[in-house]
Amino acid sequence: MIFSRLNYQAVVVLSIVGAICGAMIAIAFFSVSSINNLRDTSVGEPSHLQTPSSDHIHLGSNRRRLSKALPNGGCRLTFPEKPNPGTPITYAASYPGCGARMSWNLVEALTGLHSGDDWNNNGRGSEVVTVKTHYPQSNGVLPEFDHIINRVFIVIRNPIKSIPSFFNHIYEMRNHLPVHSTRAPVEEWVRWRNAYLDTEIEEYKKFIIYWMDRYTPENRHVLAYEELTDDVRGAVVTENLNNFLGRVEGVIPIATESVPCIWRAVVKNIPPPQQAAHIQHLQKLANNNLLAEANERTEPGIRRRLNPGHFDSQRKGPQPRRPYTIDQLDKMMSMLLEVAHRYEKEHVQLFNVMMGYYEEIKDKKNQQLSRNPPGG
């Protein structure tokens, strides 16, 4: 049976089934404080984690802090807070499969403020610092307060990788699997690809053009998933995002020297040493479904967007092949060239990223042709 692309409302309902075991976080609800910003982050040699008897995990309680901050701890992770009234909101826009959950977690960790999403799944409405959206891709919408959002950061990823990642999410939802847990079998990928790849290539292009054209250069920021997750460039890319988020009144981002600590915790799933054991304990609780009971005791009608027992959004395990036909590779390359040249003068970074994606796909095409030459 050929999978159809999911209506996002259906995804929301099905996500509840997998939320406990598969959602990411410790970090998603956390921010990190900085001594320089009076938010109490110290940098230095890690100290031994202190867990006094009174500092047990109380599921469903009103305690904000996950663990106790220690001197010389590098950085500590805490639950975010509601922004002050009037704090400008920023869109966190990404095509599906480009690390939306990761960027959500990163924003909350860097700013210490709540994030939300276009479907208002966590009930926070406009009382957030960023709104995650896939719009104008068919799984995204614009919130009713769209008219007051005057800036955006855009997360992009090579479509040869982001489209299969999006399909993995569809496969998880259709099969009631935890999110970010499973890569679909290759035969399922091929069925879906043949039915919907052309549409997704067009939606990818439409997504980038919409956000690039909607906002002026000073009110938009572009970052590439590949650079964000890169071992060398990742912390620098995160620092640039941190600076962009902090350009508006009401947002005090983490001190620059603490950004690498945050990046390691959110993107690489390596929490601060003094909190590692505590976070691992939360993840274990989540795996045992103990957090499900706590979620049931939250405010009626409000579903937690992410699970504080698990925050690693990058799928693990074997990576099934994601083959493409030569014609499909050509279509992706043509689209990337169109977008690159549209912004060649206006946004050199985007041009270079698009051309890098183009060359990567071109290499894949040439390798494919060398193995199976036409008429061979």
Side-chain angles (χ1 to χ4, degrees):
M1 180 178 68
I2 296 176
F3 292 149
S4 63
R5 290 180 304 129
L6 292 179
N7 181 285
Y8 195 78
Q9 291 136 314
V11 173
V12 170
V13 175
L14 291 173
S15 294
I16 299 174
V17 178
I20 295 303
C21 297
M24 6 186 243
I25 189 179
I27 312 298
F29 293 104
F30 304 158
S31 63
V32 182
S33 312
S34 158
I35 285 179
N36 291 349
N37 289 333
L38 301 180
R39 289 164 56 196
D40 196 20
T41 292
S42 45
V43 179
E45 294 299 320
S47 303
H48 181 69
L49 177 65
Q50 299 176 358
T51 307
S53 58
S54 62
D55 197 24
H56 296 303
I57 300 172
H58 300 293
L59 299 178
S61 74
N62 292 322
R63 294 182 67 255
R64 287 191 61 252
R65 300 199 179 277
L66 175 68
S67 63
K68 197 168 185 177
L70 301 173
N72 307 313
C75 65
R76 77 170 178 196
L77 310 175
T78 64
F79 286 101
E81 301 175 339
K82 183 169 66 175
N84 290 328
T87 299
I89 302 171
T90 299
Y91 271 122
S94 63
Y95 174 87
C98 293
R101 285 176 178 262
M102 180 187 298
S103 59
W104 171 305
N105 294 343
L106 202 52
V107 166
E108 291 198 335
L110 292 170
T111 67
L113 301 173
H114 283 153
S115 289
D117 70 283
D118 46 4
W119 293 91
N120 198 27
N121 287 322
N122 57 19
R124 292 172 179 169
S126 61
E127 296 179 321
V128 293
V129 68
T130 61
V131 170
K132 178 191 75 65
T133 185
H134 298 312
Y135 187 87
Q137 198 271 351
S138 56
N139 280 352
V141 296
L142 295 177
E144 60 182 11
F145 49 90
D146 167 71
H147 61 285
I148 67 170
I149 306 179
N150 297 315
R151 59 204 314 265
V152 64
F153 73 84
I154 311 162
V155 187
I156 56 177
R157 186 183 186 185
N158 195 327
I160 204 172
K161 298 291 181 62
S162 61
I163 293 176
S165 180
F166 174 42
F167 172 69
N168 287 334
H169 180 68
I170 291 176
Y171 180 81
E172 289 166 342
M173 295 300 98
R174 292 193 68 92
N175 290 277
H176 297 209
L177 298 169
V179 294
H180 296 98
S181 68
T182 306
R183 295 185 176 97
V186 64
E187 61 272 15
E188 302 290 357
W189 156 250
V190 170
R191 292 175 189 170
W192 185 87
R193 176 205 73 182
N194 290 343
Y196 298 110
L197 184 64
D198 287 355
T199 298
E200 290 306 324
I201 291 173
E202 284 302 308
E203 292 219 324
Y204 184 98
K205 179 181 74 173
K206 181 173 66 175
F207 167 84
I208 294 179
I209 291 175
Y210 175 84
W211 292 108
M212 289 297 296
D213 289 359
R214 174 169 174 175
Y215 291 107
T216 56
E218 64 271 17
N219 288 318
R220 69 179 182 224
H221 178 72
V222 177
L223 62 112
Y225 175 92
E226 293 84 359
E227 292 189 343
L228 179 62
T229 57
D230 182 75
D231 289 341
V232 176
R233 290 277 302 154
V236 176
V237 172
T238 303
E239 180 181 334
N240 292 337
L241 174 62
N242 192 53
N243 293 337
F244 177 74
L245 294 170
R247 289 178 190 167
V248 297
E249 186 176 354
V251 179
I252 304 176
I254 198 68
T256 299
E257 59 267 27
S258 293
V259 169
C261 179
I262 300 304
W263 172 78
R264 286 191 297 270
V266 177
V267 177
K268 294 299 180 179
N269 194 20
I270 305 174
Q274 79 278 5
Q275 289 188 284
H278 203 72
I279 290 173
Q280 184 178 18
H281 181 50
L282 275 182
Q283 292 176 334
K284 184 176 180 180
L285 289 178
N287 291 335
N288 291 333
N289 288 332
L290 294 181
L291 284 174
E293 182 179 350
N295 285 338
E296 292 173 357
R297 292 200 296 267
T298 58
E299 183 179 349
I302 301 299
R303 180 173 68 85
R304 280 186 175 176
R305 176 61 179 163
L306 299 173
N307 188 325
H310 184 68
F311 59 89
D312 187 5
S313 64
Q314 300 184 62
R315 293 178 177 89
K316 301 298 187 294
Q319 298 192 27
R321 293 184 307 114
R322 292 294 181 252
Y324 293 91
T325 67
I326 295 299
D327 179 63
Q328 289 166 343
L329 295 175
D330 282 338
K331 288 178 179 177
M332 273 192 281
M333 291 166 61
S334 177
M335 179 271 292
L336 291 168
L337 279 179
E338 180 183 344
V339 173
H341 291 301
R342 181 184 180 100
Y343 299 104
E344 183 174 2
K345 295 181 180 179
E346 178 186 347
H347 203 288
V348 175
Q349 178 201 1
L350 180 62
F351 171 79
N352 289 334
V353 170
M354 292 291 105
M355 292 306 299
Y357 293 165
Y358 172 87
E359 292 297 334
E360 184 178 348
I361 297 173
K362 182 180 177 181
D363 288 344
K364 182 178 179 66
K365 174 187 173 180
N366 290 338
Q367 292 170 13
Q368 202 162 308
L369 287 173
S370 67
R371 292 192 300 267
N372 303 291

